Amino acid sequence: SMLRMLKAMPPERVNRAPSERGRLYFLLAWVHSVILERLRYVPVGWSKGFEFSETDARCAMDALDEWVDKRAQGKANLSPAAIPWDALRALLQQIIYGGRIDNEFDQARLEAFVGSLFVKEAYEDKFPLCNTWSSKDSAYKPLMTMPESKDHQGFKAWVDAMPDVNNPELLGL
């Protein structure tokens, strides 16, 4: 799913200024991929099979670009604190993906998932994309962390290097 998503994201779009846009696109790719992959685990991943599609991802990219361009005003950089996180989360949770969800349980899962990723902390080193429970430490530990890359090529290399596993914890299950 991540490879398909990155193929759907033109490099010139991901790499466009401000430089922080690339990381937002990667977060979107991760969110979209997990949302689609959770459909494999109905009724655990989602309570039923929703009609999520690539169109949802394209709409999310357009919305992301509109908000980032509005805030960046042509600048080469945009402080993570200046990114309109509330607006991006609301668009993903309530309209683009949430608009297809028709029950409280799945809506709460979507909000928790998107809400944990679309935060300014996503620009910190070793930001966790997903966690695993460590019985030894009785705590959650990062299972997969955000790549250090800022551009399409680096994100693609990171995805290409991912182990080929179908661990349900990658999907928040």
Side-chain angles (χ1 to χ4, degrees):
S1 287
M2 284 294 291
L3 284 174
R4 276 193 311 274
M5 209 33 221
L6 286 174
K7 283 182 183 179
M9 294 177 160
E12 58 276 0
R13 190 172 185 174
V14 175
N15 299 340
R16 203 172 90 211
S19 63
E20 291 74 17
R21 183 186 314 265
R23 203 161 181 106
L24 288 171
Y25 265 87
F26 184 86
L27 287 172
L28 177 59
W30 184 264
V31 164
H32 184 77
S33 296
V34 169
I35 286 171
L36 291 182
E37 289 298 318
R38 286 178 69 106
L39 289 169
R40 297 170 136 198
Y41 296 93
V42 168
V44 177
W46 298 111
S47 64
K48 63 183 185 178
F50 295 106
E51 297 292 326
F52 300 119
S53 70
E54 300 307 314
T55 302
D56 299 318
R58 281 194 301 277
C59 289
M61 286 187 280
D62 290 344
L64 189 150
D65 282 339
E66 185 174 337
W67 278 99
V68 169
D69 290 343
K70 185 177 183 176
R71 287 288 173 98
Q73 298 179 352
K75 296 177 186 166
N77 293 94
L78 179 65
S79 165
I83 293 171
W85 296 108
D86 290 339
L88 295 176
R89 283 191 299 267
L91 281 165
L92 297 173
Q93 294 168 348
Q94 298 168 17
I95 299 168
I96 296 171
Y97 295 104
R100 298 191 184 280
I101 294 176
D102 61 4
N103 68 70
E104 290 180 30
F105 177 81
D106 289 330
Q107 185 63 42
R109 300 293 65 78
L110 177 66
E111 288 176 9
F113 176 54
V114 171
S116 71
L117 293 171
F118 275 78
V119 294
K120 68 179 183 213
E121 292 79 15
Y123 285 84
E124 295 174 3
D125 289 341
K126 308 272 187 231
F127 177 75
L129 296 169
C130 56
N131 294 303
T132 187
W133 180 255
S134 170
S135 302
K136 178 181 155 192
D137 301 321
S138 296
Y140 283 104
K141 300 230 174 201
L143 180 63
M144 189 80 64
T145 59
M146 185 81 175
E148 293 180 23
S149 179
K150 294 181 181 181
D151 63 16
H152 191 277
Q153 182 179 350
F155 295 136
K156 172 111 173 35
W158 185 87
V159 171
D160 287 340
M162 282 179 69
D164 189 19
V165 295
N166 288 324
N167 184 341
E169 285 181 304
L170 289 171
L171 308 177
L173 299 174

